[in-house]
Amino acid sequence: MSYPIFKKNGNKTERFTVRIFFPGISKITMTKNKEGYYVITFTTKGKSIIKEYPDGKLIHVKTQLIPLETENWKTLHYFEKLNQICLSRK
């Protein structure tokens, strides 16, 4: 799975693409953060989550959060099912 991120830092916008390789994901959970938003958290023990910057720089991260507007269990179950499909084909 891949999606772009645009993050405002002062007067600059940081841009990068997050790539999540499902066979390496060890845990997918949904929680409520401090600000009151729900987030889906992907966790890996390896190098299955990558931030790719426009200049080609790659950064491996252990967790990635995807914010949701409301509590959405269908989304969590969709990602869990997708992860199971990827693991069964491994």
Side-chain angles (χ1 to χ4, degrees), residues 18 32 62:
V18 173
K32 197 171 189 178
K62 298 289 183 186

Side-chain angles (χ1 to χ4, degrees), residues 3 5 20 29 31 33 39-42 49 63-67:
Y3 59 93
I5 300 283
I20 298 175
T29 58
T31 57
N33 67 6
V39 294
I40 292 185
T41 305
F42 294 91
I49 303 172
T63 60
Q64 179 62 40
L65 307 174
I66 297 177

Side-chain angles (χ1 to χ4, degrees), residues 4 9 12 21-22 28 46 50 68-70 72 74 80 87:
N9 286 338
K12 293 183 179 180
F21 301 101
F22 277 98
I28 303 171
I50 299 171
L68 302 172
E69 289 184 13
T70 60
N72 189 338
K74 285 183 179 181
E80 288 173 340
L87 288 175

Side-chain angles (χ1 to χ4, degrees), residues 3-40:
Y3 59 93
I5 300 283
F6 302 96
K7 192 174 177 182
K8 194 91 164 148
N9 286 338
N11 60 354
K12 293 183 179 180
T13 301
E14 181 182 14
R15 297 176 182 158
F16 55 89
T17 300
V18 173
R19 300 194 188 284
I20 298 175
F21 301 101
F22 277 98
I25 298 298
S26 58
K27 188 166 63 168
I28 303 171
T29 58
M30 183 168 54
T31 57
K32 197 171 189 178
N33 67 6
K34 294 179 228 174
E35 290 83 23
Y37 295 104
Y38 287 92
V39 294
I40 292 185

